Amino acid sequence: PVTPELLVSPSSQDGELGSECPEDRGNWTGRLDFLLSCIGYCVGLGNVWRFPYRAYTNGGGAFLVPYFIMLAICGIPIFFMELSLGQFSSLGPLAVWKISPLFKGVGMGTILIVSLVAIYYNMIIAYVLFYLFASLTSDLPWQHCGNWWNTDLCLDHHVIKAGNTTFPVNITNTVSPSEEYWSRYVLHIQGSSGIGDPGRIRWNLCLCLLLSWTIVYLCILKGVKSSGKVVYFTATFPYLILVMLLIRGVTLEGAWKGIRFYLTPQFDHLLSSKVWIEAALQIFYSLGVGFGGLLTFASYNTFHQNIYRDTFIVTLGNAITSILAGFAIFSVLGYMSQELGVPVNQVAKAGPGLAFVVYPQAMTMLPLSPFWSFLFFFMLLTLGLDSQFAFMETIVTAVTDEFPYYLRPKKASFSAVICIALFLMGLILTTEGGMYWLVLLDDYSAGFGLMVVVITTCLVVTRVYGMKRFCRDIHMMLGFKPGPYFRACWMVLSPATMMALLVYNIIKYQPSEYGSYRFPTWAEVLGILMGVLSFLMIPLGMVVAVLQEEGTLWERVQQASRPAMDWGPSLEENRTGMYVASLAGSQSPKPLMVHMRKYGGITSYENTAIEVDREMEEEEEEESMM
């Protein structure tokens, strides 16, 4: 049959539909590429500097109870849902919303969040590079006082150890050499009076940031074909270093003090709602759900990849890695506690303070301290790069899937443009007041906005698209339908848990701070706007989707909420079951609608769409009766 000219777009008149071919989009080149990329993405800096601290402040060993319960209720189901959406459609975080175009703003919000996170996350990698290079000496620069950046308050542990009997009185009024090295030399924060006074650019940090962006770009240059090979090293080598640090840590004198402090169960903490919320937050952020990275990685899989198995491997592996990292960290902190003659809780910190102050100080107490320092920061580098690869691949894939004809042939150039743009936006972080901006980005870029995005995704897939239809898609892809456990979590438990997290974050909202510095009101407002803007993309996307349809307002909403006519598996051989009807040679009334939606023709055939929906419902009823 001859296609009416109205239904043919300029790009399809010559018969070439290159953007529809999955080989143009790319795929993983090996079976382990996807699995290692997911492990590298989930196992990141948070496993080292956030989980151990949260464990010991929330009941020690007892914290593992709510941690694994929240992993089962919230982590594993949402993880599997994101992988399923990506693999089934072979689309990125924006184009995947063909599943319900009315909610395309969710994808826009995701990209905004990931872009903000990528800016400051690479700055943390730049700090790691700075310390990595500083470790290439025979004497670590933060080992002793007496440098130009030190103050009269500086006191190193060698002096403390030599004067054991007299010093405990005044230790609280002193500062360690590693802390002054971090704040006064690396950050040079004394040159800034606050977030409104950035000061001068620290050119050594600027060069480290440039190097980190260069490394990231070279690794994602050819998309998953290049990053999928790099992760064979970056996802596995940290485990080797972690084991080495763990063995060294547990053999140190006093290590048992730290481990006991880390794991001693305090079951009375389980009666506090805060502990359960903390466990859920740890799961939420450590697995990286909602950032689009999982969906992006899965979109490069073959259609029948066993993501059900991969889900459990990655999520449980991430949890075990966090626990092991806690042993490695707290064994060294126990040794440090004994050397300094202070309780463990006075040396234990969370966040960058652990990585750039406490642990470097601990390294100075060990024989061959530059060697152990280099290993520690090299581990942090490889952990951080994996996550950054995922952030960048998410952004690039999302945009190129939206404009495949123009951007896929120039993906390398487009990736360079994105890296350069984010590097320039991150220059503010290399100034003397850059840490204030980094804290603001960290606190607000992926806060309540991210939770709204994940909750909306869960509700759209289960309520708007339909649980029955989603399970049928997974059945087509994997050969079996998800069991009652996954359906119960997707329908009730996961969204309810995330809503509780959202409410808790709003009720327990606290203004940002860095040490004794309190952020001004305008900075708080800016941070809140950052968080709000990401989920404001959702109603904005709804308005755009409704305006693109025809009919009454309710008819437009209905039409925009249904899956696009070209929604489904990307390869024709995988379009089985109900998706057979969307193939070009099918004798069903659907191909005409598919053709119109696919090639840019008229899309508002409301009556035909209703008839097709009714056909699908009748087919499902007949199948259930049989």
Side-chain angles (χ1 to χ4, degrees), residues 126-137:
Y127 292 142
V128 171
L129 283 170
F130 189 98
Y131 271 81
L132 191 70
F133 296 138
S135 301
L136 299 175
T137 60

Side-chain angles (χ1 to χ4, degrees), residues 613-626:
D613 286 347
R614 189 179 297 118
E615 276 183 18
M616 289 171 51
E617 291 175 4
E618 290 173 357
E619 289 171 4
E620 289 179 3
E621 289 177 3
E622 289 174 4
E623 288 176 4
S624 62
M625 290 175 63
M626 292 174 62

Side-chain angles (χ1 to χ4, degrees), residues 60-198:
F63 180 72
L64 297 180
V65 175
Y67 179 77
F68 279 102
I69 290 176
M70 289 300 173
L71 177 65
I73 291 176
C74 205
I76 294 174
I78 301 301
F79 194 98
F80 183 47
M81 173 183 281
E82 286 201 22
L83 294 188
S84 299
L85 285 172
Q87 182 167 303
F88 181 78
S89 63
S90 297
L91 296 172
L94 273 176
V96 77
W97 287 100
K98 289 180 180 180
I99 192 173
S100 183
L102 184 66
F103 295 93
K104 191 169 186 177
V106 176
M108 296 160 60
T110 299
I111 300 308
L112 177 60
I113 291 169
V114 172
S115 300
L116 292 173
V117 171
I119 292 172
Y120 81 82
Y121 202 87
N122 225 24
M123 189 65 227
I124 296 174
I125 296 176
Y127 292 142
V128 171
L129 283 170
F130 189 98
Y131 271 81
L132 191 70
F133 296 138
S135 301
L136 299 175
T137 60
S138 57
D139 192 24
L140 294 175
W142 57 85
Q143 187 164 356
H144 302 290
C145 299
N147 303 289
W148 66 260
W149 59 84
N150 293 126
T151 66
D152 294 337
L153 297 177
C154 181
L155 183 67
D156 66 58
H157 75 280
H158 300 291
V159 178
I160 298 173
K161 201 170 181 183
N164 250 348
T165 57
T166 59
F167 267 110
V169 180
N170 296 320
I171 283 180
T172 54
N173 299 320
T174 61
V175 181
S176 67
S178 62
E179 188 167 347
E180 289 201 333
Y181 180 81
W182 164 243
S183 62
R184 296 181 59 82
Y185 179 72
V186 179
L187 301 179
H188 203 265
I189 205 165
Q190 68 270 24
S192 168
S193 60
I195 191 169
D197 174 32

Side-chain angles (χ1 to χ4, degrees), residues 168-341:
V169 180
N170 296 320
I171 283 180
T172 54
N173 299 320
T174 61
V175 181
S176 67
S178 62
E179 188 167 347
E180 289 201 333
Y181 180 81
W182 164 243
S183 62
R184 296 181 59 82
Y185 179 72
V186 179
L187 301 179
H188 203 265
I189 205 165
Q190 68 270 24
S192 168
S193 60
I195 191 169
D197 174 32
R200 296 170 299 176
I201 288 180
R202 300 280 292 153
W203 289 106
N204 44 11
L205 289 180
C206 184
L207 291 174
C208 286
L209 182 63
L210 178 62
L211 176 60
S212 63
W213 275 114
T214 304
I215 294 171
V216 170
Y217 173 70
L218 292 176
C219 292
I220 66 166
L221 179 61
K222 296 182 179 179
V224 294
K225 291 187 182 298
S226 55
S227 66
K229 296 307 177 189
V230 175
V231 293
Y232 277 83
F233 175 76
T234 57
T236 56
F237 196 68
Y239 285 95
L240 176 62
I241 301 178
L242 188 61
V243 170
M244 291 176 66
L245 290 171
L246 176 61
I247 294 173
R248 182 67 184 115
V250 296
T251 57
L252 292 171
E253 186 180 358
W256 63 272
K257 291 174 64 177
I259 294 174
R260 185 179 62 183
F261 193 80
Y262 167 50
L263 282 183
T264 299
Q266 301 169 36
F267 291 104
D268 58 303
H269 280 63
L270 300 183
L271 300 176
S272 169
S273 59
K274 176 180 177 292
V275 174
W276 293 84
I277 295 293
E278 290 281 346
L281 284 172
Q282 178 62 28
I283 290 295
F284 193 82
Y285 288 110
S286 67
L287 291 180
V289 294
F291 288 96
L294 299 172
L295 193 149
T296 300
F297 284 160
S299 71
Y300 291 104
N301 278 342
T302 56
F303 189 69
H304 298 293
Q305 168 84 11
N306 190 353
I307 50 173
Y308 182 80
R309 174 200 61 201
D310 294 342
T311 294
F312 286 96
I313 291 175
V314 176
T315 53
L316 295 177
N318 176 68
I320 293 170
T321 303
S322 297
I323 296 170
L324 281 177
F327 279 104
I329 295 298
F330 271 87
S331 60
V332 175
L333 295 184
Y335 166 73
M336 187 176 172
S337 167
Q338 179 148 319
E339 288 287 294
L340 296 176

